[in-house]
Amino acid sequence: MEDQGAVRAGGGLPAASRTALRGPAVRRLLALRAGKELTAGHVRVAADALGVSERTVWRWLAAAESDETAAASPGARPQGTGFTITPEVRALLALWKGNVRAVHRELVLRAARQFPPADAPSLTTLHRAIRRDLTPGERAGLAGGERAARKHDVFLARPRGWRNQVWESDHMQAPLLVDVEGKARRPWITWFTDCATNAITGVAVTPVHPSRESVLAALRSAVLREDPYGPFGGLPQKVRVDRGKDFLSRTVTAAFDLLDVTVEDLPAYTPHLKGTVEGLNRTVEPMLLAALPGYAHQPRPGKRSSRPADEVLLGFEDFTARLLAWTLWWNTEHRPAPLRGKTPLEAWQDDPTPLRDVPATDLWTFTPEDAGTRTLTTRGIRFRRRDYVGPWMTGQAGIHVRVRFMPHHDHRIEVYHAATGRYLGPADLADQATDEQISAVRRARAARSRRLKKDLEASQRERYAAVTQAEPPRRLGALTGAQADAELAQSAGTALSQLALPDVIPPAAPPADWRTPASLVALTTPSRPAPPPASRDVTATAPEGPDRRAAPPTTDEDGDAS
């Protein structure tokens, strides 16, 4: 009983301690076996204490009797004899998306095809080798790619810095359906954030895909500090953006250059390099969007997660108002953890860094897109084949002006003096259509698009038979011979190439000094002399000989042939 108690002393210890007790336990069992006092109870107690099976303990005893070194570290494998993960296994893991059982089947097949057949590792050995030789990030990357592996990386946090040192900007498609002129659409949000204070300095909402106009609108609201945009704003030193074509467009980059703002273009697929705005993208969904009607990720009853037919969506204006209200709450009441109990407004006001402001009138000079110079006439300014007028144009006809405009805003342009650059004022479209006319045109265009789409789908709808073995695809839809002939006859008149009759008038013979193949000479007509001048007496001027052509019959005034 004392021996069993000594062996049982290892029970309840951590795995590392149990591994260290393997040698003393095996040596004690060997001493009991040498004195012929070893029983099955001793082995059972040792197996329970060491966390292994009784069969494993008996195998350790057999190995220790034949090799004294095996008694020092029972169960340890000699160096270089175990199965390890090779580049071949890594490639198979990537091919099968981390499916270990599929990789094991492939290894077994490859081992069986060798001559002589080799031994393949067992499934348990393969699992153990993968856990031992591959890190969690490597296993996730082989199964799900670089984005999955990045979740296991460790990222360093940047210093907080000071206000307006660095901004970050990004687009985000809201997982929410809103009513945009009778259609359910998912709006896009463009915002600028200050990395030092976590403040949302500027935001713009677009019903459809954003463009450079969305970036310029959000930038204008971010830079201005007057109502209703303040108190956040001013010019930053640097703005981090991803490789979006809107942020790197010629208009946006020119605006940043004129404002003396450095643009840091981050590499593709590196959201961790602009973590402030990416964190805002992830935060706005559970804090605001999930509670609004039309939320796309809302759990739905039933097997299909379709939107209820009676669900009332928010209007675009109402959604924008709620988003701006949430932005105000974020800046003035929310206390993010990195700010240690402060709101973004308090962190902004506690920072003594001076700000660089730009007047609103000068900002219009920098942000819109330049359209060149024009001459102001009595009809206004001609831009894109349309006339724009403004009340300030009275008495200004004949001067040269520079036109700037916000992209996709065709109803208004901004006008500056071409020589001095002085802002003159806005100009609106002279004969702008009413809202009812614009809606009617859009409805007509939508109806035409639906008809065209329906016709194209009907002409391209084809069905193929299902197959259970490898064979060429077979179209469905049987036709009789008469139906096929009728359809071909109906479509034959539409092909002009089928109406051509190339053999009615053979080509003329080439000149005598040309080398013409005999096969082509037979297909041409012999040379004819040039026709004589036109004459009223056709028969008199017709040439003699075998090549003479019969003159067409003439008719007199009564219509009788002569």
Side-chain angles (χ1 to χ4, degrees), residues 119 305 350 440:
D119 294 334
S305 58
D350 293 343

Side-chain angles (χ1 to χ4, degrees), residues 65-114:
E65 288 181 347
S66 60
D67 186 6
E68 295 182 357
T69 59
S73 56
R77 293 177 177 270
Q79 294 293 334
T81 59
F83 176 79
T84 58
I85 299 300
T86 61
E88 178 188 11
V89 178
R90 297 175 68 97
L92 290 176
L93 284 172
L95 175 64
W96 292 102
K97 302 298 182 182
N99 190 338
V100 182
R101 188 174 291 274
V103 173
H104 179 256
R105 289 197 300 266
E106 187 73 19
L107 292 176
V108 171
L109 291 176
R110 293 186 180 185
R113 286 195 293 264
Q114 295 181 7

Side-chain angles (χ1 to χ4, degrees), residues 231-504:
F232 307 96
L235 292 178
Q237 296 182 8
K238 182 190 297 184
V239 176
R240 295 194 188 102
V241 299
D242 54 13
R243 291 186 176 272
K245 62 179 182 180
D246 305 326
F247 295 100
L248 300 180
S249 62
R250 181 179 58 184
T251 304
V252 176
T253 53
F256 281 128
D257 290 340
L258 292 174
L259 294 174
D260 193 18
V261 177
T262 304
V263 179
E264 183 180 357
D265 182 20
L266 300 176
Y269 305 106
T270 55
H272 58 282
L273 297 181
K274 52 184 180 69
T276 304
V277 70
E278 291 292 342
L280 182 62
N281 290 338
R282 294 190 300 267
T283 302
V284 68
E285 181 174 352
M287 297 184 70
L288 173 67
L289 305 179
L292 299 180
Y295 179 57
H297 300 162
Q298 185 70 30
R300 308 288 186 185
K303 296 182 178 180
R304 293 187 177 182
S305 58
S306 58
R307 184 170 63 89
D310 56 347
E311 184 178 14
V312 179
L313 301 178
L314 290 175
F316 178 73
E317 184 178 358
D318 191 8
F319 168 74
T320 305
R322 297 197 183 197
L323 179 64
L324 294 179
W326 181 84
T327 302
L328 179 62
W329 170 84
W330 174 277
N331 287 336
T332 58
E333 299 182 24
H334 182 57
R335 303 180 185 274
L339 299 183
R340 299 180 180 180
K342 293 183 179 181
T343 65
L345 179 60
E346 294 173 351
W348 180 275
Q349 293 175 345
D350 293 343
D351 194 332
T353 305
L355 302 176
R356 295 188 301 160
D357 289 327
V358 178
T361 55
D362 295 343
L363 191 61
W364 276 111
T365 307
F366 298 147
T367 52
E369 187 171 346
D370 190 2
T373 58
R374 301 288 193 280
T375 301
L376 179 61
T377 64
T378 56
R379 299 182 57 182
I381 298 176
R382 191 70 175 176
F383 175 61
R384 291 184 175 178
R385 296 181 296 179
R386 296 186 294 184
D387 295 325
Y388 290 81
V389 296
W392 56 269
M393 294 182 179
T394 303
Q396 301 280 354
I399 66 173
H400 295 281
V401 297
R402 180 171 293 276
V403 175
R404 304 183 72 90
F405 68 100
M406 189 69 73
H408 310 292
H409 285 243
D410 300 335
H411 63 283
R412 170 172 290 190
I413 59 176
E414 304 296 330
V415 186
Y416 301 82
H417 197 280
T420 63
R422 180 172 56 89
Y423 178 65
L424 300 177
D428 296 323
L429 189 62
D431 53 349
Q432 185 174 358
T434 62
D435 294 340
E436 292 76 9
Q437 291 174 327
I438 296 176
S439 300
V441 171
R442 289 176 177 174
R443 287 195 299 269
R445 291 177 180 176
R448 182 183 60 189
S449 299
R450 288 194 298 269
R451 288 196 303 269
L452 179 60
K453 182 179 180 181
K454 185 178 180 180
D455 295 340
L456 293 177
E457 289 179 352
S459 63
Q460 297 179 358
R461 188 179 296 115
E462 294 182 354
R463 294 185 180 276
Y464 292 85
V467 299
T468 57
Q469 56 185 358
E471 61 182 46
R474 186 175 70 256
R475 287 189 176 92
L476 295 179
L479 287 177
T480 63
Q483 290 175 339
D485 294 339
E487 188 169 348
L488 291 176
Q490 183 179 2
S491 61
T494 60
L496 297 181
S497 61
Q498 297 180 3
L499 299 178
L501 301 176
D503 298 333
V504 174

